[in-house]
Each structure stands twice: as structure tokens, then as C-alpha cells.
Amino acid sequence: MAKLAGVSMATVSRALSSPSLVREDTLQRVRQAIDALGYVPDASARTLASGRSRTVAAVVPTLDNAIFSHAIQGMQQVLAAGGYQLLLGSHNYDPDTETDVVRALSERAVDAMVLVGADHAPDTLALLRQSGTRTILTWSLSSQYPCIGFDNFEIGAQAARHLYDLGHRRLGMISGIGAHNDRARLRTEGFLGTLRALRAPLAPGAVCEQPYTFAGGRAGLRAVLAQAPATPTAIFCGNDVLALGCLFEATAMGLDVPRQLSIVGCDDLPISAEVTPALTTIALESSELGRQTALALLRWLQDGIEPGRMEMPVALVQRGTTAPPGEPG
Amino acid sequence: MAKLAGVSMATVSRALSSPSLVREDTLQRVRQAIDALGYVPDASARTLASGRSRTVAAVVPTLDNAIFSHAIQGMQQVLAAGGYQLLLGSHNYDPDTETDVVRALSERAVDAMVLVGADHAPDTLALLRQSGTRTILTWSLSSQYPCIGFDNFEIGAQAARHLYDLGHRRLGMISGIGAHNDRARLRTEGFLGTLRALRAPLAPGAVCEQPYTFAGGRAGLRAVLAQAPATPTAIFCGNDVLALGCLFEATAMGLDVPRQLSIVGCDDLPISAEVTPALTTIALESSELGRQTALALLRWLQDGIEPGRMEMPVALVQRGTTAPPGEPG
DNA sequence: CTGAAAGCGCTAACAA
DNA sequence: TTGTTAGCGCTTTCAG
């Protein structure tokens, strides 16, 4: 034991966790002994005795979408700086898998859990409640749980207003899969609802659900063009992956973007500003969201301050894929 | 205790860890009691008593590069299926940060650690050795540690041969930062060495180190064009992010790719096949690498079979960004 | 400010 | 096959 090289084991513990309770010179001796013996405290014993694991778990749909990996990256960095570790889970947009993942993770005695979105199986939420795991929702806004998210309805609304203001009246949408995904549903509702209010409602068949892949974006464009009674002059896509797929397909079809077709995405991935034409999109600062989430978590775990409901800003950035219908960009 | 609703606590433990050692009917009673009381075993107590945490840690440079997030995603899924959790760390290509991260993680009593590349601070390795943490290296091949990786020298060599065979003789390269990054260095060496052997050595100033960002790729192209005594007809980039940045800049400069400039990348990101022209690149199956790593880890931890040295295949896929110099594509 | 002692909730021999 | 008995290595009252 490290205390052979000095004093008792309780003191070592204190020296590590609350140095302020230990006299300066004993502190020194303890520290010397520690790196003389290369002593490394055992986290599981610590956790068992103290009830806190200094570990938080994050469960995302997938890391294959850059938006989530950026958020995780931001979160992990802030957490690490605060002395916390990050356990990672993913469920690929399947609620049952999510429940399993959350169950497995909550056995780990994590101090907190971060989930994406507000749509979760009752079992998932029950698990969290009965294990008393502090939970924070991200990406969406909730009135029932602490959350840090975007106003997804407003995202759809902004896209609608932008396109309407440019003069577009025949619109289409390629949405993400709405089942178990409140972000996708709200963006769609925001878009459709706003257009309805502006008296430019979407034609039936002008909205198409697709998985969040380039192929989904391509297929979505084909479907919308095939289904809509009149060819839309502008399309809003549920995220940038879809929008990029849509853009690539439009280019491949020989459509002139934005002259013949305007496209709006959502997320503002790094690549979105680089493609030609650059994508008009609604910027969501996902790594900032990750950092803010971590900060809120740290405050909750260390100072006991429960996070409330925090809304992250969204902003449309106009670039090359939108222009008035039938006009030069 | 759950055993109130049946029998002793050792039996509960056995029922959970080695059901085969428990009679069928007692197993049933235990299970009933378990979900009647909503009992959840405590991982830290388990870890403390058994010495195994069923947790592995992975430390990557960053999740902002899709190549690493894909690998982590693949790894996490296989690990989860095997009942293991994934702790995540990142260091942003800084060896000192890596040491800190590894130290923090090794206190967690992780059963194994996966690192990226073969370049690590002596401290990092020492930490791992003295804590007895099983370690596996990924992305690179090593003769000293269990590893699953790519032959990075061969990657550079393949790019060189492809371009040489196409007829290019004036070549350039945009490399990643070589310090603390054996992958970047080996790819460069493979490219330069092979060209030298083919008697088409690079002109001084025709190779440029850049950070792995689109901006790096763009700056790299400008630097190479400005520095090289004769304008290269083809450029090899250390990864796809660089290659894409280079491609975007070339397009912006009005260069005709591939007629005036051929570009080869490395990684084969999903986006690389979608851009116009599509990127010729050397495909590395990073999510497969993640899955294989997880499988090897599981075998090591569960069956005691230490992984050896496993080489993952690399393959050049020719697409639209390479063609003979000065010829139509 | 520091030491002594009692667990935290489980697993792993060892008995029965 | 199941129960008993010790701890795993720390934190945390409670004394001193």
C-alpha cells in the first residue's frame, strides 16, 4: 500500500479526493509515495464505495452521421477536462435496440445518461427512472426532461419562409423517416404547416420519407419528381446528407441547381460549404451542442444544479443552392 | 435482496454469470424474483470482485474524421453484441494528450485498450504495460504489439504505381502532418520511394504537409503549384479529406480534373464516390477494421487467445479524378 | 488534521 | 447443486 511510504489509507484517499482537508506536508509525502510506487487508484472500488462513477453514457442513433460524431467529440472533450469518462452506445434508429443499450449502460452505474431526441420507448424511460439515472435529452426540446436542443419545428418553418420569400410556390420535401424520430417529424410539420399558412401548401406526393443517406436523397428526388403533379421548383431536405444526395442526383440528371431547382438542407456539415454549388442549409452547431451538454452535466453532477430546458440557436445560411425560381442564381 | 424471493445470493450470482451451474427450476425462481423486484446488478461491485469490467477503451485522434467514427461505430456494435461496453477517448493528434487520456482510462480498470497507429509516447506505452492492460494497435502494423491495420507504405506505393502507369511523370503530394503519425509518414515514404525506384522522383517542393482538413487540401494544392519547379500533372493526397479539399480548390481555380490534374486520395469516404468527378482513392474499410478489432478483443478477453498481427486489405478504386496526363478522361 | 473501522454489492473458493 | 465465508480496494463516518 502507498501508505507504507507515509501514513494511513484514509489520508491517501483524502489526498486524492479532497486535498484541501490534508496538511500541505503530508500531501507532499503522499504524492511522492504515489508516483514512487506508480500507484493507480481503482475506479471500481472507488465507485462502489462512493456511489459515483465519474462516467456518463451517451446513446446516439449512429456515429456514421457526422452530426452525431461531432457532438460526441465535443462532449467527450469537455467531459474529459472535467475528469469524466464517456461510455458510448448506438441504436441505429431502433427503439428496442435503444432500450437494450440503455439497460446495459445503466447497469454500469453511470452518473448520467444523454439521449438524442424526445422519442423513446416507455421501457427506456422507465429503466432510467427506476435506476435513478440522471438523464438529459439532446437535439430536441422537452417540457418533461432536462434538455438541450433545437427547435425542430422552427427549422422547417425557416426553410419554408426562405423558399417562399424567394418566390417559390411549388415545393417538395424529402424527409427523414418519421417513426421514432421527433426531429424528423417536427421539421416536416414546421415546413408543411408554414407553407399551408402562407397559402402555398404542398401537393400530395410532394413529400417523401427516406433514410438519412446519400442514396436516400437521390431516391427522394426521383420520387418527388415522379409523384408530384407539377414539378416543384424547390425542395427542403430533412438534413444535409439527404440534401447532398438530392443535389448530386439533380446534377446527374442534368438539372441546373439552383436555376431549375432550389435545395435547402439542415445541419451545415463541413462538406456542405465545399460542394458546388454550396448548399443552402440551416446550421446546427452540433459540436457546440455536445460541449454545452457536457457542461450542463458537469454542473449537475458536481454542483447539483439540475439543467432546465436550453434552446440552441438555428440559422439559415444561404449559399448557392437556392435562388428565385427560373431565375439566374 | 433478490434472494428473499427465493434462495441465497451466491446462487443469484451464478444464475446471472453461469446459468449452466444452476438447476432449471431455481433458475426460474431467481429470474422471476429478478424482474419482480426490478433488480439490476451493480457493475462496479462486480468488477471489484471479479477483476473484469467488461469494458474496453478506444482512443482515437478525433471523431471529426469520418474514418475514425466509422471504425468506432463498427467496434461499438460488435462489442455491445458481446456484452462489452466502449469507453471513448480522443487526443487530437497530440501525444501528450494521448498519454493523459490513456492514464485516465487505465484507472477505469478497462479490460483492454485500443489505440490508433504505432506512434505513441513512451509514457503511454509504459502506463499500459505496468497496469497490465491488454492493448491492441489499429490502423498500423506493428511487430511488437497485437495489431490490426493497413500497410500504409503499400498505400503510397499503389498510388505511385497507378499514377505512373497512367503515364504521369511530374508528381506532387499533399501529406498529413508526419510528426507523431506513422500512417502519414509511411504513406509518404511509400509514394516517394516507389517513384524514386521508377525513376520519376518528386521535385523538391512538390510535397507539402497539411492538417487533415478541406482547408489543408486547398492550401496544399496552392503550395505545391507555387513551389514545384514544373507543374505536376498528378497529386497523391494522404487521405480523402485532403484529396477532396484539393479537388475543390482545383475546381475553383478552373483546373480541369482529371485532364489537367489527376488526384488520388486514401480512405474512400462515402462522399468520395458522390462528388463530381468522383474521387480515385485507396479504399480502407474502416468500419470493418472496427468490427475485426472488436472480434479480436472478444476472443482475447473471453477465450484468452491473444491477437497476432492482422493486415487489412487495401485496394485502389479508380474513378473520375485520374486519367493519363493531358488526355481526355 | 489524521487514524480506525465499517461497509459498498458482488464473486469465488470452499463446504455441505 | 447450493449455501457460507471471505474479501476485492476504496470512501466515509466517527473518534482522537
Side-chain angles (χ1 to χ4, degrees):
Chain A
M1 287 295 193
K3 71 219 79 140
L4 290 190
V7 286
S8 90
M9 76 181 293
T11 305
V12 176
S13 174
R14 278 185 287 253
L16 259 34
S17 333
S18 351
S20 52
L21 303 182
V22 179
R23 215 194 321 152
E24 186 55 36
D25 56 312
T26 46
L27 206 64
Q28 304 257 296
R29 267 184 303 148
V30 172
R31 285 191 177 139
Q32 280 186 315
I34 283 187
D35 46 39
L37 309 200
Y39 166 81
V40 170
D42 178 309
S44 49
R46 237 169 158 163
T47 300
L48 183 59
S50 70
R52 295 173 307 109
S53 62
R54 296 186 81 77
T55 296
V56 333
V59 179
V60 297
T62 173
L63 285 179
D64 284 348
N65 187 330
I67 211 72
F68 294 121
S69 54
H70 289 161
I72 291 293
Q73 167 86 0
M75 221 171 104
Q76 192 272 324
Q77 287 181 336
V78 172
L79 248 19
Y84 277 74
Q85 302 303 324
L86 210 221
L87 267 173
L88 189 66
S90 69
H91 56 68
N92 226 56
Y93 296 99
D94 177 55
D96 294 336
T97 306
E98 185 182 47
T99 304
D100 291 344
V101 168
V102 166
R103 191 196 323 279
L105 253 16
S106 68
E107 291 186 8
R108 287 298 121 173
V110 295
D111 291 346
M113 175 93 61
V114 5
L115 261 25
V116 170
D119 268 9
H120 301 284
D123 281 0
T124 305
L125 269 5
L127 228 34
L128 258 12
R129 193 171 315 114
Q130 79 184 55
S131 67
T133 307
R134 291 162 186 207
T135 303
I136 182 165
L137 268 25
T138 58
W139 246 272
S140 297
L141 269 4
S142 159
S143 47
Q144 310 196 47
Y145 287 87
C147 58
I148 300 186
F150 306 104
D151 182 340
N152 290 289
F153 186 95
E154 174 61 18
I155 287 170
Q158 282 198 16
R161 275 185 247 115
H162 172 64
L163 260 9
Y164 185 90
D165 290 348
L166 283 173
H168 293 277
R169 292 300 178 270
R170 293 199 314 279
L171 300 156
M173 171 157 189
I174 305 173
S175 159
I177 308 291
H180 318 122
N181 185 336
D182 62 298
R183 288 93 65 209
R185 287 199 309 279
L186 283 168
R187 288 174 197 180
T188 304
E189 286 169 21
F191 188 68
L192 302 188
T194 301
L195 287 176
R196 220 177 294 120
L198 291 168
R199 316 197 130 278
L202 254 69
V207 44
C208 170
E209 281 198 2
Q210 291 290 338
Y212 286 135
T213 59
F214 294 132
R218 302 188 104 121
L221 175 60
R222 288 194 305 271
V224 167
L225 293 183
Q227 297 282 327
T231 304
T233 59
I235 288 189
F236 171 49
C237 298
N239 75 5
D240 274 7
V241 173
L242 249 18
L244 257 7
C246 178
L247 172 60
F248 296 142
E249 184 68 11
T251 303
M253 291 170 66
L255 286 174
D256 183 345
V257 176
R259 265 160 258 209
Q260 292 175 270
L261 182 72
S262 282
I263 300 173
V264 177
C266 174
D267 282 347
D268 196 17
L269 301 181
I271 187 76
S272 301
E274 308 280 344
V275 291
T276 309
L279 193 65
T280 293
T281 189
I282 296 174
L284 311 185
E285 299 276 357
S286 58
S287 63
E288 181 61 15
L289 176 125
R291 270 176 256 125
Q292 290 297 334
T293 303
L295 251 17
L297 243 22
L298 254 21
R299 268 192 305 266
W300 200 358
L301 298 175
Q302 297 180 334
D303 313 329
I305 303 171
E306 176 166 350
R309 170 192 155 111
M310 171 164 172
E311 182 175 340
M312 299 286 294
V314 304
L316 186 139
V317 311
Q318 181 169 10
R319 290 197 280 241
T321 58
T322 52
E327 308 275 336
Chain B
M1 287 295 193
K3 72 221 80 139
L4 292 190
V7 286
S8 91
M9 77 180 291
T11 305
V12 175
S13 175
R14 278 185 287 253
L16 259 33
S17 335
S18 351
S20 53
L21 302 183
V22 180
R23 215 193 324 151
E24 187 54 37
D25 56 312
T26 46
L27 206 65
Q28 304 256 297
R29 267 184 302 150
V30 172
R31 285 190 177 139
Q32 279 186 317
I34 284 187
D35 45 39
L37 309 199
Y39 166 81
V40 169
D42 180 308
S44 50
R46 243 174 154 160
T47 301
L48 184 58
S50 69
R52 295 173 308 111
S53 62
R54 298 187 79 77
T55 296
V56 332
V59 179
V60 297
T62 173
L63 285 179
D64 285 347
N65 186 329
I67 211 72
F68 294 121
S69 54
H70 289 162
I72 290 293
Q73 167 85 0
M75 220 170 104
Q76 192 271 325
Q77 287 181 334
V78 172
L79 247 20
Y84 277 72
Q85 303 302 326
L86 210 220
L87 266 173
L88 189 65
S90 69
H91 55 72
N92 226 54
Y93 296 98
D94 177 57
D96 294 336
T97 306
E98 185 183 47
T99 304
D100 292 343
V101 169
V102 166
R103 190 196 324 280
L105 253 16
S106 67
E107 291 186 8
R108 284 302 119 173
V110 294
D111 291 346
M113 174 94 60
V114 3
L115 260 26
V116 170
D119 268 9
H120 301 283
D123 281 0
T124 304
L125 269 3
L127 228 33
L128 259 11
R129 193 172 316 115
Q130 78 184 57
S131 68
T133 308
R134 290 163 185 205
T135 303
I136 182 166
L137 267 26
T138 58
W139 245 273
S140 298
L141 268 4
S142 159
S143 47
Q144 309 196 48
Y145 287 86
C147 58
I148 301 185
F150 306 104
D151 183 341
N152 289 289
F153 185 96
E154 174 62 17
I155 287 171
Q158 282 199 16
R161 276 184 246 118
H162 173 64
L163 259 12
Y164 185 90
D165 290 349
L166 246 20
H168 293 276
R169 292 299 179 269
R170 293 200 313 279
L171 300 155
M173 171 157 188
I174 304 173
S175 159
I177 309 291
H180 317 124
N181 185 336
D182 62 298
R183 289 92 65 209
R185 287 199 309 279
L186 282 168
R187 289 175 197 179
T188 305
E189 286 169 21
F191 187 69
L192 302 189
T194 302
L195 288 176
R196 220 177 294 119
L198 291 169
R199 318 197 128 278
L202 254 68
V207 45
C208 170
E209 280 199 1
Q210 291 290 337
Y212 286 135
T213 60
F214 294 132
R218 301 189 104 119
L221 175 60
R222 288 194 305 270
V224 167
L225 294 183
Q227 297 283 327
T231 304
T233 59
I235 289 189
F236 171 50
C237 298
N239 75 5
D240 273 8
V241 172
L242 249 19
L244 256 8
C246 178
L247 172 61
F248 296 142
E249 184 69 10
T251 303
M253 290 170 66
L255 286 175
D256 183 344
V257 176
R259 266 159 259 209
Q260 292 175 270
L261 182 72
S262 283
I263 299 174
V264 177
C266 174
D267 281 348
D268 196 17
L269 301 180
I271 189 75
S272 301
E274 309 280 344
V275 292
T276 309
L279 193 64
T280 293
T281 190
I282 296 174
L284 311 186
E285 299 278 356
S286 59
S287 62
E288 181 61 14
L289 176 124
R291 270 176 255 126
Q292 290 298 333
T293 303
L295 252 15
L297 243 22
L298 255 20
R299 268 192 304 266
W300 199 359
L301 299 175
Q302 297 180 333
D303 313 328
I305 302 171
E306 177 166 351
R309 169 192 156 110
M310 173 165 170
E311 182 175 339
M312 299 286 293
V314 304
L316 186 138
V317 310
Q318 179 168 12
R319 289 198 279 241
T321 58
T322 52
E327 309 274 337

